[in-house]
Structures are given as C-alpha cells and as structure tokens.
Amino acid sequence: MATTMLHKHRVSVLFSFGRSLYRRINVSQGEFGLQQKCSAYSRPINTLSASEAVAEIKNMPDESRPMPAKKPISKAMKAYLLQAKNYDEFMKKQNTEFQIGRRHLANIMSMDADTMTQEDIDQAIEFLFPSGLYEPRARPMMKSPELIFPPKKAAEFDESGRPYHSLFYTMNPNFYGLLQEAVTEYVNLNKEEDNMIRKRISFNSDMKIILSGSDWLSQEKLSNLLIEQIDDAQYEQFKNVMLRLAEHPLSNKVKDFIMKYRYSLVNEAALAEIPKPSYEKDGRAYVTFKGARRKNAYADVTVHMPGTGKFLINDCDIEYFQDIQSREQVIC
Amino acid sequence: MSSLTKLISTLARVSDTKLALLNHSNVQIISSAKMSQYPKYFIDPTFRNDELNALYETGEVKEKALVPCRAALTEHTSSEFYSSFTRKFINHVMRKGNKQLAREVVEKAFEVIKKTQIQKYHSLPPEKKVDFTIRDPHELFHQAVINVKPIMVLTPIKRGGVRYQVPVPVDDLQATILAYKWFIEASKDKERTVRFYNKLAKEIMDAANNTGRVVKKKLDLHKQCEANRAYAHYRWN
C-alpha cells in the first residue's frame, strides 16, 4: 500500500481576498510572480502545516516598524566615490613620481636625497632649466603634488546621500560655517559685555584686539584655506563680518579665531641684509656698495665711519651736478 | 539658525568706507583715482623732516613701516626751499621735459616778486609797515591762485541736437589746474622783448590783489555761468 507522505512544504496559497495578506506569509515575490506566470499545473503545490502557519503569522514583522527596502547607491554617490578613488590613485602616483624624481635630482646634483629641502630642489631646477619668463609660475618647477594640485574636500555626505555638514546645501559650507562661527562669537562677546556692565567692571583698551601689523588673508588664500571658491561679494562679506567682530571692545578674547584669518605684515627695511664693514689702516670702517641704480645711471658708493661730512662725486664737489634738483637729491 | 543668518546680514551691511577707514585707521589712504604703476594700497612717502619727527613722536612710524610705500620722486626733497604747491605749478610750466628751465623761470619770477615787495615795503611810512606782512613770494602765489580759482565752469552738453554751454560746479583740483593754465597763458601773451618771468611776476602780484588779467578771466567766466543759468538743469536731464 503506497501511502502519500505529506511533505511539509511551504504553502503558496492563492488568496482571493486582501492583497496585504500576501506579504504576511514569507513568500518571496519572485515565487509568487512565477506562480502567476506559469500555469498552476506545472508547479507542485507546497503545503504548510497549520502550526507552522500560525507560528509564521505570530512572527510576522510589526506594521509600526516596516522593514526598509534596501536602496541601491544613487548615481551621484557612485560618481562621487569613483572620483574620490581616482583622485587618491592619481595623487599616489604623483607622489611616487615626485619621490623618484627627487632621488634622480639628488644624484644629478650630487646632493644627499634625504637632507634635500624644497629650496635646494628649486635652486637645482633653476640651474638645470634656466628660464627667461617673467611670471614665476610659468617657469619650470618641481614641487610635491600637494602644493601643485589643489586639495579636494573629504567625503561630504554618507552612503545614503545625507550630508555631514549642516550647511552643505549652501554650496559653500566651510565659508558660511566660518561666518556663523564669527557671529556666534560676537553674540557671546555681547553677553560678556552685558555681564561686565551689570557688575560695573570697567573696560580697558587691552581687551580690544590690535589689528595693526597684520592684514586679512587675500581672497585667493582664503579660498585655499577653506577649499572653496570664494567670489568678490563673499570676500567683502567675510571682511565686513570679521572687522565687526574685531571692533568689539572685548575682541581680544577671540584673538586666536581672528588671527587665523590674518597674516602678519613684514617690515621689509628690517629684513634687508646689512653689509659688513671693512677696515682701513687707521681703523676707520667703510662699506662699498656697487651698482646703485636709477634709470640708466649707476654708482659705486663708499661710506666711511667715522666721517667728515665731506663727499666727492667722481673726484668733484657737489658742483659735479649742474642742475639744482640733482644737487638737492644728493644733500636733502 | 535664522536669527544668526539675520545677524550675519546686519553685520555685513556696515558701510564700506567706514570699514576701509577702520582697516587702515592710522594709515593715510591715498587717492585711488590715479593711474599708477603701484597697487592702490601703496602709501605716499614721508620725506619732510618735520613730518617724520611727528610720526616718531606719535609712534605712528611703526605702523607705517609695515605698509608698502611708493618711491619718492626726484622733486621730493627735505630742502628749505621746497614748496609742494609751487612744485606743481613748475610742472605745468615745464615744456618738453625741460624741468631745469621751468624751475629757473618760476624762481626768477619769484625773485622779481620778492624785489618788488621789498621795494614797496621800504617805500611805505612806518605806521603802514606793520600791516604789510606778505613778502614771501610762495605765499603770494598761493593767495593769487585762490583768487583765480573758478567755482563753476561751462561745459558743452548736447540736448536735442544743440550744444548748450551749461554751468557746472568744478572740484578743487580741476579749479587749481585751470588757474595754473590761465597764469601761463597770460604770461605768454606778451611783447617779444618782455621776459616770461617778468610777465608772470606781474600777473601773480595782480592776482594776489584781486586785480589784473587773470582774475578778470575768472570773473568773466562766472558772469557767463550766471547768464546761462537757465540751462543749469541740463546737467541732469
């Protein structure tokens, strides 16, 4: 006697009511789709025991927390990841090339590759490839790729496409973030000022920042710092906001923040190399400067210290110059 | 967030000129209207001893040392005989770059003025000598230019196919340049035997007294401006 075993198969039940009910039993859509397409006769009917069916219904996921469908990565995200990868590979390649080039250059110039500085490299390139071009940036240069190729921002949004920075959609998040930081500082300084007034504390000039001796970063430098293109209007806005902050009577408290965006001015006269004096037999010191120029005229000047106040121009008196203006230029 | 963004916009609305002044609060801003080989932020040099001493006293010299500076011209000297006002006039008198001749001519004219003034002074009775103070020709020339400077001039403005001579105010620099030009023109208009510097001296002394040819020219111009008062609105529309 052949007994038919009831196999415990899944039931693919054809429901006549409620489409939502389809999803409650773990039937993959693919199977169901197939079921619909193929004729019912070609497929065996899968069956489930009653207890199993009940258990399934109990274990069904809660309606209140529907399972998120797995989204594929958007095209924008894909393109961005590809770009970032390409950039990294490119920089790596450039770096290795630069390192190899350094070693070759050290070999050519018989210098030590390990102790070679960027200045040495610049000098060597200037020697090997002399250029008559006026613009320094047009002349041949060999620099580390970080200095030549502009830096790119790190990932600005995560895999799901959600940006990290709250101001991402301003298109210049770093710039507007900076402005907001400045304003936040300003508000805090105002609060401190109010507190001081309430407590009757007097204000000193020490509490205000001294801006002399430094100047704001140029538009280009600021763009490089923030890794964002900053146009003229934005640059003006930046200067206005920062100046307003610096104008506050308590601005010395935010000195570090402000000085980040300023560079110190240099007294060029102080930087000038003072030539060392030679000495004559009687102990008088003197310095000779050769090639002092003005238009097509040039002069070799010798100055003695201690001096008599007298001078000779080509073994002549001041009368070497007939024009009064020229004489005035010598004396006054 | 919105209140902060509002604050940003209010902070940014501070007037530009005020901020520019604040930015370089102690450092002189040069006029940016010049066409120059130097960038705009380059300041003029200080070459007079008294000005330099003043800078050292106030301590401003430290700030000025940090700002890039234009080169001094060959006219810029700390000489006793330097006058910034006369130097400009000498430049206008100069022809074909002959600075030497221009300076000679103007200085000769001043010599003539000085001699004349001294003569006048000594010919006065003692009571009136106290009032006769202006003997310096540079001062006299300064006074003469002030008397000759026009306040308004006529400019041709085209309306409806017709060119009208419209009275228009003129700024200080342009007025000074006009005054120089008129002095030179009047001094050139002379007999062959008369020297330029003699004529110039005469014109300057007359102008300092508010008389003479050059002042008359200015007054005529002002009269014409009054006459063309009706066209004044053409300046705008």
Side-chain angles (χ1 to χ4, degrees), chain A residues 180 183 187 213 216 237 240 243-244 247 265 267 323-325 328-329 332, chain B residues 1 4-5 7-8 11-12 14 19 23 65-66 74 76 78-79 100 103:
Chain A
Q180 290 223 333
V183 174
V187 167
W216 299 114
Q237 197 181 16
N240 286 343
L243 205 60
R244 194 63 182 275
E247 223 188 302
L265 296 169
N267 184 357
D323 184 17
I324 291 175
Q325 192 172 270
E328 278 180 346
Q329 280 286 293
C332 319
Chain B
M1 193 75 101
L4 274 175
T5 47
L7 210 55
I8 291 170
L11 281 175
V14 180
L19 282 170
N23 219 358
L66 296 170
T74 44
H76 291 166
S78 50
S79 164
Q100 209 171 348
R103 188 175 163 152

PDB file of all heavy atoms in Angstrom, chain A residues 180 183 187 213 216 237 240 243-244 247 265 267 323-325 328-329 332, chain B residues 1 4-5 7-8 11-12 14 19 23 65-66 74 76 78-79 100 103:
ATOM      1  N   GLN A 180      29.130  81.938  10.452  1.00  0.00           N
ATOM      2  CA  GLN A 180      28.259  81.645  11.593  1.00  0.00           C
ATOM      3  C   GLN A 180      29.050  81.571  12.880  1.00  0.00           C
ATOM      4  O   GLN A 180      28.596  82.029  13.931  1.00  0.00           O
ATOM      5  CB  GLN A 180      27.514  80.336  11.343  1.00  0.00           C
ATOM      6  CG  GLN A 180      26.474  80.447  10.246  1.00  0.00           C
ATOM      7  CD  GLN A 180      25.181  79.761  10.610  1.00  0.00           C
ATOM      8  OE1 GLN A 180      25.181  78.829  11.385  1.00  0.00           O
ATOM      9  NE2 GLN A 180      24.090  80.197  10.032  1.00  0.00           N
ATOM     10  N   VAL A 183      29.752  85.038  14.028  1.00  0.00           N
ATOM     11  CA  VAL A 183      28.567  85.665  14.625  1.00  0.00           C
ATOM     12  C   VAL A 183      28.290  85.082  16.001  1.00  0.00           C
ATOM     13  O   VAL A 183      27.879  85.798  16.915  1.00  0.00           O
ATOM     14  CB  VAL A 183      27.354  85.520  13.689  1.00  0.00           C
ATOM     15  CG1 VAL A 183      26.110  86.023  14.355  1.00  0.00           C
ATOM     16  CG2 VAL A 183      27.613  86.272  12.404  1.00  0.00           C
ATOM     17  N   VAL A 187      28.003  87.164  19.446  1.00  0.00           N
ATOM     18  CA  VAL A 187      26.881  87.099  20.389  1.00  0.00           C
ATOM     19  C   VAL A 187      27.390  86.814  21.799  1.00  0.00           C
ATOM     20  O   VAL A 187      26.939  87.423  22.776  1.00  0.00           O
ATOM     21  CB  VAL A 187      25.873  86.035  19.914  1.00  0.00           C
ATOM     22  CG1 VAL A 187      24.875  85.702  20.992  1.00  0.00           C
ATOM     23  CG2 VAL A 187      25.158  86.509  18.659  1.00  0.00           C
ATOM     24  N   GLY A 213      49.815  95.805  12.092  1.00  0.00           N
ATOM     25  CA  GLY A 213      50.884  94.847  11.936  1.00  0.00           C
ATOM     26  C   GLY A 213      50.440  93.589  11.237  1.00  0.00           C
ATOM     27  O   GLY A 213      51.244  92.689  11.003  1.00  0.00           O
ATOM     28  N   TRP A 216      44.148  91.138   6.526  1.00  0.00           N
ATOM     29  CA  TRP A 216      43.309  89.986   6.225  1.00  0.00           C
ATOM     30  C   TRP A 216      43.927  89.145   5.112  1.00  0.00           C
ATOM     31  O   TRP A 216      44.584  89.658   4.222  1.00  0.00           O
ATOM     32  CB  TRP A 216      41.913  90.420   5.782  1.00  0.00           C
ATOM     33  CG  TRP A 216      41.192  91.175   6.799  1.00  0.00           C
ATOM     34  CD1 TRP A 216      40.816  92.481   6.752  1.00  0.00           C
ATOM     35  CD2 TRP A 216      40.740  90.694   8.084  1.00  0.00           C
ATOM     36  NE1 TRP A 216      40.175  92.836   7.906  1.00  0.00           N
ATOM     37  CE2 TRP A 216      40.108  91.766   8.737  1.00  0.00           C
ATOM     38  CE3 TRP A 216      40.810  89.453   8.731  1.00  0.00           C
ATOM     39  CZ2 TRP A 216      39.554  91.641  10.006  1.00  0.00           C
ATOM     40  CZ3 TRP A 216      40.264  89.332   9.995  1.00  0.00           C
ATOM     41  CH2 TRP A 216      39.644  90.418  10.611  1.00  0.00           C
ATOM     42  N   GLN A 237      31.904  90.333   2.242  1.00  0.00           N
ATOM     43  CA  GLN A 237      31.065  89.961   3.389  1.00  0.00           C
ATOM     44  C   GLN A 237      31.933  89.431   4.528  1.00  0.00           C
ATOM     45  O   GLN A 237      31.745  89.794   5.687  1.00  0.00           O
ATOM     46  CB  GLN A 237      30.059  88.897   2.940  1.00  0.00           C
ATOM     47  CG  GLN A 237      28.899  88.718   3.892  1.00  0.00           C
ATOM     48  CD  GLN A 237      27.943  87.640   3.434  1.00  0.00           C
ATOM     49  OE1 GLN A 237      28.268  86.834   2.581  1.00  0.00           O
ATOM     50  NE2 GLN A 237      26.774  87.626   4.001  1.00  0.00           N
ATOM     51  N   ASN A 240      33.764  92.279   6.185  1.00  0.00           N
ATOM     52  CA  ASN A 240      32.840  93.085   6.985  1.00  0.00           C
ATOM     53  C   ASN A 240      32.532  92.423   8.314  1.00  0.00           C
ATOM     54  O   ASN A 240      32.580  93.056   9.373  1.00  0.00           O
ATOM     55  CB  ASN A 240      31.533  93.315   6.214  1.00  0.00           C
ATOM     56  CG  ASN A 240      31.714  94.321   5.095  1.00  0.00           C
ATOM     57  OD1 ASN A 240      32.684  95.058   5.070  1.00  0.00           O
ATOM     58  ND2 ASN A 240      30.777  94.328   4.178  1.00  0.00           N
ATOM     59  N   LEU A 243      35.629  92.208  10.630  1.00  0.00           N
ATOM     60  CA  LEU A 243      36.000  93.538  11.139  1.00  0.00           C
ATOM     61  C   LEU A 243      35.043  93.971  12.229  1.00  0.00           C
ATOM     62  O   LEU A 243      35.434  94.586  13.220  1.00  0.00           O
ATOM     63  CB  LEU A 243      35.997  94.535   9.977  1.00  0.00           C
ATOM     64  CG  LEU A 243      36.879  95.754  10.159  1.00  0.00           C
ATOM     65  CD1 LEU A 243      38.314  95.331  10.350  1.00  0.00           C
ATOM     66  CD2 LEU A 243      36.758  96.660   8.970  1.00  0.00           C
ATOM     67  N   ARG A 244      33.784  93.645  12.022  1.00  0.00           N
ATOM     68  CA  ARG A 244      32.778  93.984  13.019  1.00  0.00           C
ATOM     69  C   ARG A 244      33.086  93.277  14.341  1.00  0.00           C
ATOM     70  O   ARG A 244      32.936  93.829  15.428  1.00  0.00           O
ATOM     71  CB  ARG A 244      31.411  93.600  12.478  1.00  0.00           C
ATOM     72  CG  ARG A 244      30.234  94.171  13.208  1.00  0.00           C
ATOM     73  CD  ARG A 244      30.176  95.689  13.159  1.00  0.00           C
ATOM     74  NE  ARG A 244      29.053  96.194  13.915  1.00  0.00           N
ATOM     75  CZ  ARG A 244      27.820  96.316  13.456  1.00  0.00           C
ATOM     76  NH1 ARG A 244      27.542  95.956  12.234  1.00  0.00           N
ATOM     77  NH2 ARG A 244      26.863  96.776  14.211  1.00  0.00           N
ATOM     78  N   GLU A 247      35.987  94.845  16.041  1.00  0.00           N
ATOM     79  CA  GLU A 247      35.650  96.165  16.568  1.00  0.00           C
ATOM     80  C   GLU A 247      35.097  96.099  17.986  1.00  0.00           C
ATOM     81  O   GLU A 247      35.039  97.099  18.690  1.00  0.00           O
ATOM     82  CB  GLU A 247      34.567  96.749  15.654  1.00  0.00           C
ATOM     83  CG  GLU A 247      34.736  98.194  15.299  1.00  0.00           C
ATOM     84  CD  GLU A 247      33.509  98.698  14.559  1.00  0.00           C
ATOM     85  OE1 GLU A 247      33.196  98.113  13.501  1.00  0.00           O
ATOM     86  OE2 GLU A 247      32.861  99.607  15.058  1.00  0.00           O
ATOM     87  N   LEU A 265      52.155  91.508   8.693  1.00  0.00           N
ATOM     88  CA  LEU A 265      52.900  92.323   7.722  1.00  0.00           C
ATOM     89  C   LEU A 265      54.355  92.385   8.138  1.00  0.00           C
ATOM     90  O   LEU A 265      54.674  92.340   9.309  1.00  0.00           O
ATOM     91  CB  LEU A 265      52.320  93.728   7.663  1.00  0.00           C
ATOM     92  CG  LEU A 265      50.889  93.847   7.170  1.00  0.00           C
ATOM     93  CD1 LEU A 265      50.376  95.232   7.409  1.00  0.00           C
ATOM     94  CD2 LEU A 265      50.818  93.514   5.701  1.00  0.00           C
ATOM     95  N   ASN A 267      58.100  94.259   8.008  1.00  0.00           N
ATOM     96  CA  ASN A 267      58.851  95.485   7.764  1.00  0.00           C
ATOM     97  C   ASN A 267      60.041  95.121   6.883  1.00  0.00           C
ATOM     98  O   ASN A 267      61.028  94.564   7.353  1.00  0.00           O
ATOM     99  CB  ASN A 267      59.311  96.067   9.100  1.00  0.00           C
ATOM    100  CG  ASN A 267      60.009  97.401   8.921  1.00  0.00           C
ATOM    101  OD1 ASN A 267      60.202  97.868   7.808  1.00  0.00           O
ATOM    102  ND2 ASN A 267      60.380  98.007  10.021  1.00  0.00           N
ATOM    103  N   ASP A 323      72.485 120.812 -12.313  1.00  0.00           N
ATOM    104  CA  ASP A 323      71.067 121.028 -12.033  1.00  0.00           C
ATOM    105  C   ASP A 323      70.849 121.110 -10.515  1.00  0.00           C
ATOM    106  O   ASP A 323      71.374 120.282  -9.755  1.00  0.00           O
ATOM    107  CB  ASP A 323      70.269 119.863 -12.629  1.00  0.00           C
ATOM    108  CG  ASP A 323      68.793 120.052 -12.468  1.00  0.00           C
ATOM    109  OD1 ASP A 323      68.359 121.191 -12.192  1.00  0.00           O
ATOM    110  OD2 ASP A 323      68.062 119.058 -12.598  1.00  0.00           O
ATOM    111  N   ILE A 324      70.068 122.108 -10.106  1.00  0.00           N
ATOM    112  CA  ILE A 324      69.836 122.312  -8.661  1.00  0.00           C
ATOM    113  C   ILE A 324      69.069 121.134  -8.066  1.00  0.00           C
ATOM    114  O   ILE A 324      69.309 120.725  -6.923  1.00  0.00           O
ATOM    115  CB  ILE A 324      69.067 123.633  -8.414  1.00  0.00           C
ATOM    116  CG1 ILE A 324      69.981 124.816  -8.752  1.00  0.00           C
ATOM    117  CG2 ILE A 324      68.628 123.747  -6.969  1.00  0.00           C
ATOM    118  CD1 ILE A 324      69.323 126.155  -8.669  1.00  0.00           C
ATOM    119  N   GLN A 325      68.132 120.584  -8.865  1.00  0.00           N
ATOM    120  CA  GLN A 325      67.324 119.473  -8.363  1.00  0.00           C
ATOM    121  C   GLN A 325      68.211 118.273  -8.049  1.00  0.00           C
ATOM    122  O   GLN A 325      68.036 117.611  -7.018  1.00  0.00           O
ATOM    123  CB  GLN A 325      66.267 119.091  -9.409  1.00  0.00           C
ATOM    124  CG  GLN A 325      65.207 118.159  -8.844  1.00  0.00           C
ATOM    125  CD  GLN A 325      64.072 117.954  -9.809  1.00  0.00           C
ATOM    126  OE1 GLN A 325      63.096 118.689  -9.791  1.00  0.00           O
ATOM    127  NE2 GLN A 325      64.209 116.952 -10.661  1.00  0.00           N
ATOM    128  N   GLU A 328      70.047 118.919  -4.862  1.00  0.00           N
ATOM    129  CA  GLU A 328      69.141 118.742  -3.719  1.00  0.00           C
ATOM    130  C   GLU A 328      68.957 117.262  -3.404  1.00  0.00           C
ATOM    131  O   GLU A 328      68.887 116.858  -2.239  1.00  0.00           O
ATOM    132  CB  GLU A 328      67.779 119.374  -4.008  1.00  0.00           C
ATOM    133  CG  GLU A 328      67.751 120.853  -3.760  1.00  0.00           C
ATOM    134  CD  GLU A 328      66.383 121.458  -4.045  1.00  0.00           C
ATOM    135  OE1 GLU A 328      65.554 120.770  -4.690  1.00  0.00           O
ATOM    136  OE2 GLU A 328      66.162 122.594  -3.635  1.00  0.00           O
ATOM    137  N   GLN A 329      68.895 116.434  -4.441  1.00  0.00           N
ATOM    138  CA  GLN A 329      68.728 114.995  -4.240  1.00  0.00           C
ATOM    139  C   GLN A 329      69.908 114.401  -3.489  1.00  0.00           C
ATOM    140  O   GLN A 329      69.736 113.464  -2.706  1.00  0.00           O
ATOM    141  CB  GLN A 329      68.607 114.284  -5.603  1.00  0.00           C
ATOM    142  CG  GLN A 329      67.232 114.382  -6.209  1.00  0.00           C
ATOM    143  CD  GLN A 329      66.248 113.477  -5.490  1.00  0.00           C
ATOM    144  OE1 GLN A 329      66.353 112.263  -5.546  1.00  0.00           O
ATOM    145  NE2 GLN A 329      65.308 114.062  -4.785  1.00  0.00           N
ATOM    146  N   CYS A 332      69.664 116.587   0.339  1.00  0.00           N
ATOM    147  CA  CYS A 332      68.439 116.554   1.162  1.00  0.00           C
ATOM    148  C   CYS A 332      67.702 115.239   0.979  1.00  0.00           C
ATOM    149  O   CYS A 332      67.546 114.772  -0.116  1.00  0.00           O
ATOM    150  CB  CYS A 332      67.486 117.662   0.794  1.00  0.00           C
ATOM    151  SG  CYS A 332      68.287 119.229   0.472  1.00  0.00           S
TER     152      CYS A 332
ATOM    153  N   MET B   1      18.841  79.364  14.062  1.00  0.00           N
ATOM    154  CA  MET B   1      19.659  79.464  12.855  1.00  0.00           C
ATOM    155  C   MET B   1      19.280  80.714  12.064  1.00  0.00           C
ATOM    156  O   MET B   1      20.113  81.431  11.579  1.00  0.00           O
ATOM    157  CB  MET B   1      19.451  78.197  11.999  1.00  0.00           C
ATOM    158  CG  MET B   1      20.468  78.046  10.907  1.00  0.00           C
ATOM    159  SD  MET B   1      22.036  77.525  11.529  1.00  0.00           S
ATOM    160  CE  MET B   1      22.019  75.792  11.144  1.00  0.00           C
ATOM    161  N   LEU B   4      20.610  83.892  13.507  1.00  0.00           N
ATOM    162  CA  LEU B   4      22.037  84.046  13.261  1.00  0.00           C
ATOM    163  C   LEU B   4      22.275  84.551  11.840  1.00  0.00           C
ATOM    164  O   LEU B   4      23.104  85.414  11.618  1.00  0.00           O
ATOM    165  CB  LEU B   4      22.778  82.724  13.458  1.00  0.00           C
ATOM    166  CG  LEU B   4      23.206  82.403  14.897  1.00  0.00           C
ATOM    167  CD1 LEU B   4      23.807  81.023  14.977  1.00  0.00           C
ATOM    168  CD2 LEU B   4      24.188  83.422  15.416  1.00  0.00           C
ATOM    169  N   THR B   5      21.546  83.983  10.875  1.00  0.00           N
ATOM    170  CA  THR B   5      21.733  84.415   9.489  1.00  0.00           C
ATOM    171  C   THR B   5      21.333  85.875   9.337  1.00  0.00           C
ATOM    172  O   THR B   5      21.942  86.620   8.600  1.00  0.00           O
ATOM    173  CB  THR B   5      20.916  83.562   8.511  1.00  0.00           C
ATOM    174  OG1 THR B   5      19.589  83.435   9.017  1.00  0.00           O
ATOM    175  CG2 THR B   5      21.515  82.192   8.323  1.00  0.00           C
ATOM    176  N   LEU B   7      21.631  88.072  11.672  1.00  0.00           N
ATOM    177  CA  LEU B   7      22.711  88.828  12.286  1.00  0.00           C
ATOM    178  C   LEU B   7      23.880  88.965  11.335  1.00  0.00           C
ATOM    179  O   LEU B   7      24.535  89.998  11.280  1.00  0.00           O
ATOM    180  CB  LEU B   7      23.152  88.118  13.573  1.00  0.00           C
ATOM    181  CG  LEU B   7      23.716  89.026  14.681  1.00  0.00           C
ATOM    182  CD1 LEU B   7      22.746  90.116  15.026  1.00  0.00           C
ATOM    183  CD2 LEU B   7      24.003  88.189  15.906  1.00  0.00           C
ATOM    184  N   ILE B   8      24.135  87.889  10.569  1.00  0.00           N
ATOM    185  CA  ILE B   8      25.234  87.947   9.589  1.00  0.00           C
ATOM    186  C   ILE B   8      24.969  89.063   8.596  1.00  0.00           C
ATOM    187  O   ILE B   8      25.834  89.873   8.289  1.00  0.00           O
ATOM    188  CB  ILE B   8      25.391  86.612   8.825  1.00  0.00           C
ATOM    189  CG1 ILE B   8      25.909  85.515   9.753  1.00  0.00           C
ATOM    190  CG2 ILE B   8      26.355  86.774   7.666  1.00  0.00           C
ATOM    191  CD1 ILE B   8      25.862  84.144   9.123  1.00  0.00           C
ATOM    192  N   LEU B  11      25.433  92.447  10.166  1.00  0.00           N
ATOM    193  CA  LEU B  11      26.848  92.750  10.362  1.00  0.00           C
ATOM    194  C   LEU B  11      27.503  93.145   9.052  1.00  0.00           C
ATOM    195  O   LEU B  11      28.371  93.986   9.022  1.00  0.00           O
ATOM    196  CB  LEU B  11      27.582  91.541  10.942  1.00  0.00           C
ATOM    197  CG  LEU B  11      27.429  91.296  12.439  1.00  0.00           C
ATOM    198  CD1 LEU B  11      28.105  90.000  12.799  1.00  0.00           C
ATOM    199  CD2 LEU B  11      28.022  92.423  13.243  1.00  0.00           C
ATOM    200  N   ALA B  12      27.084  92.469   7.976  1.00  0.00           N
ATOM    201  CA  ALA B  12      27.711  92.720   6.681  1.00  0.00           C
ATOM    202  C   ALA B  12      27.275  94.028   6.058  1.00  0.00           C
ATOM    203  O   ALA B  12      27.892  94.505   5.130  1.00  0.00           O
ATOM    204  CB  ALA B  12      27.387  91.571   5.729  1.00  0.00           C
ATOM    205  N   VAL B  14      27.483  96.968   7.265  1.00  0.00           N
ATOM    206  CA  VAL B  14      28.234  98.157   7.706  1.00  0.00           C
ATOM    207  C   VAL B  14      28.857  98.808   6.476  1.00  0.00           C
ATOM    208  O   VAL B  14      29.317  98.133   5.585  1.00  0.00           O
ATOM    209  CB  VAL B  14      29.334  97.757   8.706  1.00  0.00           C
ATOM    210  CG1 VAL B  14      30.123  98.960   9.165  1.00  0.00           C
ATOM    211  CG2 VAL B  14      28.725  97.060   9.894  1.00  0.00           C
ATOM    212  N   LEU B  19      34.495 101.046   7.123  1.00  0.00           N
ATOM    213  CA  LEU B  19      35.343  99.893   7.399  1.00  0.00           C
ATOM    214  C   LEU B  19      36.717 100.057   6.787  1.00  0.00           C
ATOM    215  O   LEU B  19      37.701  99.651   7.386  1.00  0.00           O
ATOM    216  CB  LEU B  19      34.693  98.621   6.857  1.00  0.00           C
ATOM    217  CG  LEU B  19      33.577  98.091   7.734  1.00  0.00           C
ATOM    218  CD1 LEU B  19      32.842  97.000   7.017  1.00  0.00           C
ATOM    219  CD2 LEU B  19      34.122  97.560   9.039  1.00  0.00           C
ATOM    220  N   ASN B  23      40.011  99.797   8.808  1.00  0.00           N
ATOM    221  CA  ASN B  23      41.028  98.824   8.437  1.00  0.00           C
ATOM    222  C   ASN B  23      42.416  99.440   8.487  1.00  0.00           C
ATOM    223  O   ASN B  23      43.367  98.826   8.912  1.00  0.00           O
ATOM    224  CB  ASN B  23      40.731  98.321   7.020  1.00  0.00           C
ATOM    225  CG  ASN B  23      41.014  96.847   6.899  1.00  0.00           C
ATOM    226  OD1 ASN B  23      41.459  96.200   7.838  1.00  0.00           O
ATOM    227  ND2 ASN B  23      40.772  96.308   5.740  1.00  0.00           N
ATOM    228  N   ALA B  65      55.743 101.718   8.802  1.00  0.00           N
ATOM    229  CA  ALA B  65      56.874 100.924   8.319  1.00  0.00           C
ATOM    230  C   ALA B  65      56.410  99.590   7.754  1.00  0.00           C
ATOM    231  O   ALA B  65      57.110  98.974   6.961  1.00  0.00           O
ATOM    232  CB  ALA B  65      57.865 100.704   9.451  1.00  0.00           C
ATOM    233  N   LEU B  66      55.235  99.133   8.165  1.00  0.00           N
ATOM    234  CA  LEU B  66      54.755  97.827   7.727  1.00  0.00           C
ATOM    235  C   LEU B  66      53.985  97.905   6.417  1.00  0.00           C
ATOM    236  O   LEU B  66      53.766  96.894   5.770  1.00  0.00           O
ATOM    237  CB  LEU B  66      53.850  97.224   8.808  1.00  0.00           C
ATOM    238  CG  LEU B  66      54.521  96.930  10.126  1.00  0.00           C
ATOM    239  CD1 LEU B  66      53.470  96.567  11.159  1.00  0.00           C
ATOM    240  CD2 LEU B  66      55.522  95.823   9.994  1.00  0.00           C
ATOM    241  N   THR B  74      61.968 112.648  -7.706  1.00  0.00           N
ATOM    242  CA  THR B  74      63.196 113.452  -7.576  1.00  0.00           C
ATOM    243  C   THR B  74      62.882 114.864  -7.095  1.00  0.00           C
ATOM    244  O   THR B  74      63.742 115.561  -6.591  1.00  0.00           O
ATOM    245  CB  THR B  74      63.942 113.544  -8.920  1.00  0.00           C
ATOM    246  OG1 THR B  74      62.993 113.795  -9.951  1.00  0.00           O
ATOM    247  CG2 THR B  74      64.688 112.268  -9.232  1.00  0.00           C
ATOM    248  N   HIS B  76      60.877 115.369  -4.614  1.00  0.00           N
ATOM    249  CA  HIS B  76      60.628 115.261  -3.174  1.00  0.00           C
ATOM    250  C   HIS B  76      61.936 115.401  -2.413  1.00  0.00           C
ATOM    251  O   HIS B  76      62.745 114.479  -2.368  1.00  0.00           O
ATOM    252  CB  HIS B  76      59.993 113.908  -2.842  1.00  0.00           C
ATOM    253  CG  HIS B  76      58.601 113.764  -3.341  1.00  0.00           C
ATOM    254  ND1 HIS B  76      57.980 112.553  -3.399  1.00  0.00           N
ATOM    255  CD2 HIS B  76      57.699 114.663  -3.790  1.00  0.00           C
ATOM    256  CE1 HIS B  76      56.751 112.714  -3.876  1.00  0.00           C
ATOM    257  NE2 HIS B  76      56.557 113.989  -4.131  1.00  0.00           N
ATOM    258  N   SER B  78      63.864 117.262   1.292  1.00  0.00           N
ATOM    259  CA  SER B  78      63.631 117.900   2.579  1.00  0.00           C
ATOM    260  C   SER B  78      64.353 119.243   2.620  1.00  0.00           C
ATOM    261  O   SER B  78      64.758 119.712   3.667  1.00  0.00           O
ATOM    262  CB  SER B  78      64.087 116.981   3.701  1.00  0.00           C
ATOM    263  OG  SER B  78      65.392 116.519   3.453  1.00  0.00           O
ATOM    264  N   SER B  79      64.460 119.865   1.428  1.00  0.00           N
ATOM    265  CA  SER B  79      65.174 121.139   1.316  1.00  0.00           C
ATOM    266  C   SER B  79      64.371 122.266   1.955  1.00  0.00           C
ATOM    267  O   SER B  79      63.145 122.207   2.047  1.00  0.00           O
ATOM    268  CB  SER B  79      65.414 121.432  -0.170  1.00  0.00           C
ATOM    269  OG  SER B  79      65.752 122.768  -0.368  1.00  0.00           O
ATOM    270  N   GLN B 100      64.539 121.893 -15.715  1.00  0.00           N
ATOM    271  CA  GLN B 100      65.529 122.878 -15.278  1.00  0.00           C
ATOM    272  C   GLN B 100      65.088 124.283 -15.655  1.00  0.00           C
ATOM    273  O   GLN B 100      65.092 125.204 -14.848  1.00  0.00           O
ATOM    274  CB  GLN B 100      66.872 122.547 -15.932  1.00  0.00           C
ATOM    275  CG  GLN B 100      68.065 122.979 -15.129  1.00  0.00           C
ATOM    276  CD  GLN B 100      69.343 122.433 -15.731  1.00  0.00           C
ATOM    277  OE1 GLN B 100      69.319 121.574 -16.600  1.00  0.00           O
ATOM    278  NE2 GLN B 100      70.463 122.930 -15.278  1.00  0.00           N
ATOM    279  N   ARG B 103      61.902 125.462 -13.747  1.00  0.00           N
ATOM    280  CA  ARG B 103      62.190 125.851 -12.375  1.00  0.00           C
ATOM    281  C   ARG B 103      62.909 127.207 -12.331  1.00  0.00           C
ATOM    282  O   ARG B 103      62.600 128.064 -11.493  1.00  0.00           O
ATOM    283  CB  ARG B 103      63.066 124.779 -11.733  1.00  0.00           C
ATOM    284  CG  ARG B 103      63.251 125.006 -10.267  1.00  0.00           C
ATOM    285  CD  ARG B 103      64.004 123.889  -9.639  1.00  0.00           C
ATOM    286  NE  ARG B 103      64.509 124.319  -8.342  1.00  0.00           N
ATOM    287  CZ  ARG B 103      64.726 123.510  -7.340  1.00  0.00           C
ATOM    288  NH1 ARG B 103      64.488 122.231  -7.466  1.00  0.00           N
ATOM    289  NH2 ARG B 103      65.183 123.968  -6.206  1.00  0.00           N
TER     290      ARG B 103
END
